[in-house]
Amino acid sequence: MSGAITCSVSDLSAMLGPNTTAAAEYICGQLGTVNNKFTDAAYAVDNTYLLFSSYLVFSMQIGFAMLCAGSVRAKNTMNIMLTNVLDAAAGGLFYYLFGYAFAFGGSSEGFIGRHNFALRDFPTLTSDYSFFLYQWSFAIAAAGITSGSIAERTQFVAYLIYSSFLTGFVYPVVSHWFWSPFGWASPFRSAQDRLFNTGAIDFAGSGVVHMVGGIAGLWGALIEGPRRGRFEKSGRAIALRGHSASLVVLGTFLLWFGWYGFNPGSFTKILVPYETGSSYGQWSGIGRTAVTTTLAGSTAALTTLFGKRLLSGHWNVTDVCNGLLGGFAAITGGCSVVEPWAAIVCGFVAALVLLGCNKLAEIVQYDDPLEAAQLHGGCGAWGLIFVGLFAKEKYLNEVYGATPGRPYGLLMGGGGKLLGAQLVQILVVAGWVSVTMGTLFFSLKKIGLLRISEKDEMTGMDVTRHGGFAYMYYDNDDESHRQGIQLHRVDPGSPFPRSSTPP
């Protein structure tokens, strides 16, 4: 904790007068004890804050599960729910064994960490178990993004393989590059060693989390190909709508709630004063980050609402939910270093990016049931560019440490170096994930472990792979379950309900 209480016995003795050394030692000893108590309290508060943020980010897994379930057809609900559970479970084990070490495990020459495998020699002077838990919750979020892109046609064993590989190796390497103090593009390096004197600014993961998950999903969906029936031979797209808009909305609100741990929680500490003795400190930055997150998502939702109305003539709740999430994905990288008004610009452009990516996907016959690659990959990339344009110098120095002459947003008068660093991040993340995950999905396809059979796909994986439907279901002609009031379908033009049994 900054502003520690200090006491010098010699100085205090001089002020108290002769023969007061014992009294000075006693007073300094008591002040030292008080100082230690304050320091302990500060560590406890910061760790509690980080743990609470970890719980919020982990709760996003509930949101992912509900969103995914509502976005697929009913016949594949159990399958997609199980993959969400295993993203967290497999990710927990592999991030513990390998992922955390690769991401934050000490000296690495900038590419990959090499200490703390299986949390050996942990905690360290700079990291405690709360930090590990927080970073694990981010890793499984990236894996959850990918599962949406390849839903409804992927073998279960492929989910296990890609999820373990992504959380245990691919994602940790990227997070090391940009979030570890040793990463080659990290803004936490010494000033003379930073990329373009600034390092890439990706505060909570527009690139590290969202682009990684989105581009991994892009390659999985491209290599698998679209779901059967998604496009006609003529190229016309056929909508394969998810079975529950209610689950989509529920999942979206849960993700919105969890994002307040995702973005504000990425400060990792709350008791950091920016100005000694004032009411302005890191707690103020945390509050501002929550506001920018809210404004970007809200703006993107409204922009998508009216944009889709103009394009399709409908007020579509599913599209609005995706637009909201696209705004969140975009603001994640710069949420702590931009003004609230800039977050509105971020959300507006993010919605346009999502609409454009969806239109392009339809033209090239790319099929992504949750629009995950477009939403997280496309909007995540825009979020990195947005930082290079709108990052404010004052906020950069508060969040990343004061550095004279630090480059900041181009449109804020800070030159083009930060934007250059952001573009480098986009290119290297896209390249790294394409090489690793693209190769993995291609290999799984070659050995027959990627896509399910046509029969299984048409029937639905709940029945063919998981033992039955997710919901209680009866055939229309089965009268055994019918009790009480019944609803009957009325044929057009007929004033009477159609009988469910033949006369």
Side-chain angles (χ1 to χ4, degrees), residues 20-249:
T20 57
T21 301
E25 289 178 347
Y26 174 79
I27 293 172
C28 284
Q30 293 300 307
L31 289 175
T33 300
V34 171
N35 180 69
N36 290 336
K37 292 293 184 181
F38 278 121
T39 301
D40 294 343
Y43 281 127
V45 170
D46 286 337
N47 273 274
T48 301
Y49 174 73
L50 188 56
L51 279 172
F52 180 72
S53 298
S54 303
Y55 305 150
L56 283 176
V57 178
F58 179 73
S59 74
M60 296 175 76
Q61 294 300 310
I62 309 171
F64 278 127
M66 296 298 100
L67 181 68
C68 288
S71 298
V72 302
R73 290 164 290 180
K75 62 183 180 180
N76 295 311
T77 305
M78 286 181 65
N79 174 263
I80 196 68
M81 295 282 277
L82 183 57
T83 62
N84 275 270
V85 173
L86 290 178
D87 280 339
L93 183 61
F94 279 85
Y95 197 74
Y96 162 76
L97 291 173
F98 311 107
Y100 182 84
F102 289 148
F104 298 100
S107 179
S108 63
E109 302 301 327
F111 180 75
I112 192 170
R114 57 191 184 192
H115 300 290
N116 304 127
F117 290 97
L119 296 187
R120 185 177 180 182
D121 300 323
F122 195 83
T124 66
L125 292 175
T126 57
S127 301
D128 208 335
Y129 290 107
S130 56
F131 185 72
F132 166 82
L133 192 71
Y134 189 67
Q135 296 303 329
W136 160 72
S137 66
F138 271 59
I140 60 176
I145 291 167
T146 305
S147 66
S149 296
I150 57 178
E152 297 203 283
R153 60 204 189 273
T154 306
Q155 291 192 43
F156 187 67
V157 65
Y159 280 112
L160 287 174
I161 293 171
Y162 99 76
S163 181
S164 302
F165 185 58
L166 183 67
T167 55
F169 180 65
V170 177
Y171 166 83
V173 170
V174 177
S175 59
H176 182 83
W177 292 348
F178 302 105
W179 286 349
S180 168
F182 306 101
W184 63 269
S186 172
F188 300 105
R189 293 172 71 96
S190 57
Q192 65 272 18
D193 294 331
R194 293 178 193 151
L195 177 66
F196 301 149
N197 298 321
T198 173
I201 302 297
D202 188 8
F203 182 71
S206 286
V208 174
V209 178
H210 294 283
M211 277 192 68
V212 167
I215 294 174
L218 172 68
W219 282 106
L222 281 174
I223 292 170
E224 276 193 305
R227 292 167 290 173
R228 288 175 172 83
R230 179 67 176 90
F231 297 98
E232 292 182 342
K233 291 183 179 180
S234 64
R236 188 172 71 92
I238 304 298
L240 302 179
R241 289 287 183 183
H243 78 281
S244 176
S246 300
L247 289 178
V248 170
V249 173

Side-chain angles (χ1 to χ4, degrees), residues 388-432:
L389 297 174
F390 290 96
K392 187 173 179 177
E393 182 181 21
K394 175 185 177 183
Y395 297 154
L396 282 170
N397 285 324
E398 289 172 353
V399 176
Y400 291 96
T403 301
R406 176 192 288 274
Y408 52 101
L410 175 64
L411 299 183
M412 306 297 287
K417 287 187 176 181
L418 178 56
L419 179 59
Q422 302 303 99
L423 293 175
V424 168
Q425 180 178 358
I426 292 172
L427 292 175
V428 297
V429 169
W432 169 254

